[in-house]
Every structure is written in C-alpha cells, then in structure tokens.
Amino acid sequence: MIEARSLTKRYKELTAVDGLDFTVPDGSFFTFVGPNGAGKTTTIRMMCGLTPITSGSLEIAGMSLPDQVADVKSVLGVVPQESSLDRDLTVMENLLIYAGYFGIEKKLARSRAEELIEFVELTNKIDSQPEELSGGMRRRLLIARSLINNPRLLILDEPTTGLDPKVRRSIWDTLQDLTTQGMTLVMSTHYMEEASELSDIVAVMDHGKILSSGPPDELTADYDGSLEKLFLSMTGKEHD
Amino acid sequence: MGAQGLRAVTPRWFSVWKRNAYVYAKRWKLYALPPLAEPFLLVFALGIGVGSFIDQIEGVTYLVFVSAGLIASETLLRATFECTYGSFFRMTYQNTFEGIITTPVSASDVAMAEIFWGATKASISALAVLLVLAVLGVFSGPLLVLVPLIIFAGALNFSSMALIVSSRVPDLEYFTFYFAGVVFPMLFLAGTYFPLSRLPEIVQSAMWLLPFTSVVDVARSLIIERPDSMIYWKSLYILVSTVVLMELAIRSLTNRLVR
Ligand SMILES: Nc1ncnc2c1ncn2[C@@H]1O[C@H](COP(=O)(O)OP(=O)(O)O)[C@@H](O)[C@H]1O
Ligand SMILES: [Mg+2]
C-alpha cells in the first residue's frame, strides 16, 4: 500500500524526517512509535500531501506523491492529531459537507453518514455541535468523518493521546474492527504498549530515523516482549 | 507540486464555497440582517444628513455623488472583513482548512473558495446599498445594470488582497495594521466621499495606483451616466490587478497551509 524510499523532510537546518525506508503491506496495521519530536506527524503529513517532500520517494496505492496528490487523497482517510472538525456544523453536517469535498453524491453521502455515526456510536449526538462533545466522542467523530469516502488506507496521528484508558480501549476496538474488515491502517503513537497491542508492524522512531522495525513480538523477543526496553537499549534514554 | 496559483485550482473549489454558503444560510438572520441595516444608516447619515449642507458637487446632488462611494466602501469593507477575520478564524482557531485539504480539495482550491466567498458576501451587501438607493429614487439610468459587474470584480480584488494579508500574519492582532495603514486611508481618500481632485496632485497619482480608486470612479461614472474616455482603461486595470492579486493570494495561502 505504501512504499517509502529515503523519505526526507528538512526545515532549514532541522532534519525532521531523515531518510526513511519502509513498506506498508496491503491490509496491515502499521504503527510509528516514538517520543514527541521523533518526526511521526511530519511523516504522516507527507503521506497526506500536507507537507512537501524534501527528497526521496513516496508511493501510495501505486501512485506517486506529489504528482498524483489529488488521486492519492481520494483513497485516504485521515484522522489528524489536532481536531479539524468543522465547528460551524453539527455532527451530521460535518460528515455530509465532508462528503462534498470528495464529490460524493448527496443521497449516498447521507446513507454512509448515518451508517458511520452508528458505527462510532454517536447516534444520539447527531445534531450536536463539536464543542458539545467529549474528547473521546470528538475523536470518534473524526474517525467516522475519515471513513466517509470508503478509504483504502486510514491514517491516524496519535488517535488516543489525551484520552482516558476506557475511551482508549473503545478506540482500539474500533480500529481493530476496521482491520478485520480488511482496511490498511497507519497510526502514530507515543504509547509503546498501544503499538505492541494493535499493530502487525511497528517502526520505532527517534530524531527522524527508524531505529528498528518489524512485527512487535519479533522486535521485542530479546527484550522480554517490551518495546520500552528495546527503546532504552537503542537510545540509552527512557521513553516517556 | 506541479502547477501553482490559479492554474492549480480545480472545480473542487466550489465544494468549499458551498460549505461557507451553507453556514451563512443556516444563520442568515444573524449574518444578513446587520449588513442590510447598514445601508439605510449610511444613506441617511451621509447622503441625506451631510448632503443637506452641500448644494451640488460635480453637477449632481451630494447623495448622487456619494452613492458610488457608499457602494464601493460597502464592497471593500465586507470583502476585507470576510477574508481577514473570517478566513483567519477558519484557518487557525477552527482548523477547518487543515481538515479540508486532506481530501482531494487542495490548498489552492480553498484559497479560491475563500476569495469567491468573500466576494459573494461583499456583493450581497453592496447590492443591498444599491437597491436602497434605487428605491429612494436616487438614480435609475440604463448604465446602472453594469454596476454589479464592477462591484463583483472589485469584491474579488479586495478579498484577494485581504487573503494575502491573512496568510502572512501570525496573529489576529496584526489586522489592525492592515486596517489602519491600508484599508481606512484607501476608504477615505479614493474619491469616495469627496472628489479626488481636492487632494494634492502627488496624492492623487498615488491613489490611482490602488484599484479601489478605479472601482469608485467607474461605479460613479455609470451611476451618473457620464462615462469618461478612460473608463475602459480603468476597468481593465481593475480586471488585471484582480487576476494578479488572486494569483498571489492563492500562492500565499498554499505556502501557509502546505509546509
Ligand atoms: N512547520 C515546521 N517548521 C519547523 N520545524 C517543524 C515544523 N513541523 C515540525 N517541525 C519539527 O520537526 C520535528 C518533528 O516534529 P513532528 O513530526 O511533529 O514530531 P512528532 O509528531 O513525532 O512529535 C520537531 O523537532 C519539530 O519541532
Ligand atoms: Mg505528532
């Protein structure tokens, strides 16, 4: 689904993403894990065409960025780190207007929106404004919105940051449902245990580089199954 | 990224214009009534109030003279407010644009939509002023039908200029510099409320560089039915500067959003 070769992003002197090579197979759950400032968001923004690539190549669903950016974006679902819900619109309107950006026809948009609102259990909030929702509900609405175009690839940037454990569990369940349905997922997180629990492949990042990547149980085989210990031994520092 | 500016805009921009129109329509009483009340105030205060002290100006009553100024000011102010505070709010505090540009809609499309939306809102208000004046019987000539075209072109021009500023300021507070340093001097000196010829030559020449001056002048010559020989050049200047400013605004907002 994704092929990245020497993917690099420089901001003036700072190299935020430093020559990443990775492959995300179709139907897999792939996670970037690393501390704040590791370069996770920048990597994800490059996948969505939100940040220009400084050098290297990036291919999504057989299309290359940045040349085919609009086609790439039409098969993506994106859940950003910061809420980008439309605060002038209700829950339902958020999905319907968003469908308009994909050129989805009105009737189809409405039936998909109803389905998705039910899927993320917001049916009783259908006419609420985003600011009337709890943090967890807002995150679920962002997930519903990202699915409106039936994406082949769902990208989530720190989808559980700032949520309490119970709500995090419910987001995990939702994501696992989606993998079962065959969707490809790429997530970023700074919670090591979240990465091990959910993903087929983990890429451990620090300072814009991938330190190590592979299935979590293989990676952590020499570290008592703990990504924290792996991170500590590779960087010499505790992970927060 | 390949194409940039106007050439990067796709028909998808219209979905964002529709989003803005939808939000506006939902709260039309809140958004539409105050701007519609303003024309009455302007016409009475400036046209009738101030006008009663002035006999004739350039061969017409003050109300007729100032009507083009009122229409042009309304266009300038509405377009500017929408594409400064309005666009900036959507861009930063509401984060709306970031959500939109992960869909096939590009940053260039968003910029185009903001410019056209600002122009749409400004034109609605300016046409309300025109309507009030026409109903009061201030004017009724056949050239009046061309005034909406000038209003819309001017509105695109002023929206683009405002969006350039919005895409460059770090914070809302900086807009006061734009209003104090650019918008208000332009608003008062461009022949809007008194003839440009009253100003020193050098100031006059400087004012002609601003497209707003041509908008006021062309609108006035259509309203008083006295188009001068320069009207085509002035109209052309409005069009060309509008296209240039749109190009710059689209590039500028794209650089702000895609970084
Ligand atoms: N627009 C930007 N301009 C300059 N530096 C940036 C910008 N965005 C991110 N960075 C820097 O790039 C590095 C990686 O940031 P980011 O990708 O957000 O990390 P993460 O998501 O893993 O916390 C950080 O040092 C951050 O300060
Ligand atoms: Mg981040």
Side-chain angles (χ1 to χ4, degrees):
Chain A
M1 180 62 67
I2 307 182
E3 286 281 346
R5 293 292 161 258
S6 312
L7 186 63
T8 301
K9 175 65 192 181
R10 264 191 291 278
Y11 292 109
K12 302 211 176 79
E13 318 81 62
L14 179 94
T15 305
V17 171
D18 196 358
L20 297 194
D21 289 295
F22 60 88
T23 302
V24 178
D26 281 2
S28 64
F29 194 140
F30 186 104
T31 301
F32 291 105
V33 63
N36 278 329
K40 305 181 297 294
T41 296
T42 307
T43 307
I44 281 177
R45 285 179 61 94
M46 285 192 279
M47 291 178 194
C48 317
L50 294 182
T51 291
I53 297 166
T54 307
S55 65
S57 71
L58 182 58
E59 224 175 68
I60 295 181
M63 298 175 277
S64 72
L65 283 163
D67 304 338
Q68 292 165 285
V69 64
D71 295 330
V72 167
K73 289 195 293 182
S74 71
V75 301
L76 287 189
V78 180
V79 177
Q81 190 170 350
E82 306 282 338
S83 166
S84 62
L85 291 171
D86 199 322
R87 289 189 231 176
D88 292 326
L89 303 173
T90 65
V91 167
M92 185 47 134
E93 290 166 344
N94 256 284
L95 298 192
L96 295 179
I97 298 277
Y98 211 70
Y101 304 142
F102 288 92
I104 298 169
E105 176 264 322
K106 272 211 176 87
K107 246 171 112 183
L108 180 63
R110 183 162 283 277
S111 72
R112 265 203 77 67
E114 277 164 3
E115 230 170 81
L116 288 168
I117 288 172
E118 204 178 307
F119 174 65
V120 298
E121 293 164 19
L122 287 172
T123 311
N124 58 344
K125 295 283 176 189
I126 212 157
D127 292 321
S128 303
Q129 301 289 132
E131 61 263 36
E132 296 162 358
L133 304 179
S134 69
M137 289 177 186
R138 252 182 295 212
R139 210 63 65 100
R140 295 212 304 268
L141 178 56
L142 281 167
I143 293 175
R145 191 184 72 170
S146 72
L147 297 171
I148 195 78
N149 60 323
N150 225 335
R152 294 176 58 189
L153 170 64
L154 183 64
I155 299 178
L156 309 106
D157 196 3
E158 308 229 12
T160 66
T161 299
L163 301 181
D164 65 55
K166 207 173 128 231
V167 182
R168 281 177 69 197
R169 281 266 157 216
S170 86
I171 302 269
W172 291 4
D173 291 343
T174 305
L175 299 184
Q176 269 162 340
D177 277 355
L178 293 170
T179 0
T180 322
Q181 291 168 29
M183 194 175 286
T184 311
L185 272 76
V186 171
M187 177 179 84
S188 84
T189 182
H190 64 268
Y191 299 118
M192 296 284 177
E193 93 276 13
E194 177 167 278
S196 337
E197 168 114 10
L198 292 174
S199 353
D200 304 316
I201 305 173
V202 184
V204 182
M205 283 187 81
D206 195 25
H207 295 301
K209 289 199 164 84
I210 293 178
L211 305 177
S212 176
S213 72
D217 40 343
E218 277 176 32
L219 282 189
T220 57
D222 301 335
Y223 302 93
D224 309 333
S226 153
L227 272 173
E228 269 96 356
K229 285 188 183 162
L230 167 95
F231 188 80
L232 179 64
S233 87
M234 299 197 83
T235 62
K237 64 185 181 187
E238 289 283 350
H239 181 271
D240 52 5
Chain B
M1 289 270 129
Q4 279 195 349
L6 280 163
R7 285 187 308 138
V9 174
T10 71
R12 285 185 277 261
W13 73 266
F14 193 60
S15 64
V16 183
W17 183 93
K18 279 198 291 191
R19 179 252 169 230
N20 289 344
Y22 179 84
V23 172
Y24 179 79
K26 222 166 65 146
R27 307 192 190 143
W28 69 273
K29 283 182 193 151
L30 195 65
Y31 290 151
L33 289 185
L36 294 184
E38 204 181 86
F40 287 97
L41 206 62
L42 276 173
V43 169
F44 282 98
L46 276 167
I48 299 169
V50 176
S52 65
F53 292 95
I54 301 164
D55 233 5
Q56 289 242 308
I57 190 163
E58 297 191 334
V60 292
T61 65
Y62 184 66
L63 184 55
V64 171
F65 173 84
V66 85
S67 58
L70 297 180
I71 290 163
S73 334
E74 190 66 15
T75 312
L76 173 66
L77 288 176
R78 291 288 152 205
T80 306
F81 273 113
E82 189 59 28
C83 288
T84 50
Y85 292 99
S87 298
F88 197 78
F89 244 81
R90 288 189 280 277
M91 175 169 71
T92 54
Y93 302 105
Q94 305 199 342
N95 219 6
T96 314
F97 297 168
E98 176 125 344
I100 297 174
I101 61 177
T102 56
T103 73
V105 176
S106 69
S108 309
D109 296 329
V110 170
M112 188 72 162
E114 288 296 307
I115 293 167
F116 266 85
W117 176 246
T120 306
K121 241 177 127 173
S123 301
I124 292 172
S125 293
L127 289 175
V129 180
L130 186 75
L131 199 69
V132 169
L133 290 164
V135 167
L136 286 175
V138 176
F139 42 64
S140 56
L143 290 178
L144 214 56
V145 299
L146 295 175
V147 175
L149 291 179
I150 291 299
I151 290 175
F152 195 66
L156 287 175
N157 193 300
F158 313 142
S159 293
S160 304
M161 208 159 74
L163 197 63
I164 293 173
V165 176
S166 294
S167 59
R168 280 157 194 273
V169 296
D171 208 306
L172 210 80
E173 265 99 69
Y174 288 76
F175 288 135
T176 53
F177 289 100
Y178 179 56
F179 277 90
V182 180
V183 178
F184 289 127
M186 189 153 94
L187 184 65
F188 291 114
L189 300 179
T192 331
Y193 306 117
F194 61 86
L196 191 59
S197 57
R198 295 297 170 91
L199 295 173
E201 289 276 339
I202 175 116
V203 180
Q204 283 187 43
S205 311
M207 290 314 291
W208 280 114
L209 290 176
L210 301 170
F212 181 65
T213 309
S214 293
V215 172
V216 175
D217 188 272
V218 172
R220 178 167 294 138
S221 65
L222 294 174
I223 284 172
I224 64 178
E225 305 275 325
R226 261 190 263 151
D228 62 24
S229 57
M230 293 290 281
I231 190 168
Y232 296 109
W233 290 110
K234 290 167 186 164
S235 304
L236 186 67
Y237 184 55
I238 296 169
L239 287 181
V240 171
S241 61
T242 300
V243 173
V244 171
L245 288 168
M246 282 170 79
E247 175 75 18
L248 294 175
I250 294 167
R251 283 173 185 255
S252 186
L253 189 71
T254 303
N255 287 337
R256 171 82 174 241
L257 296 178
V258 181
R259 57 176 200 277

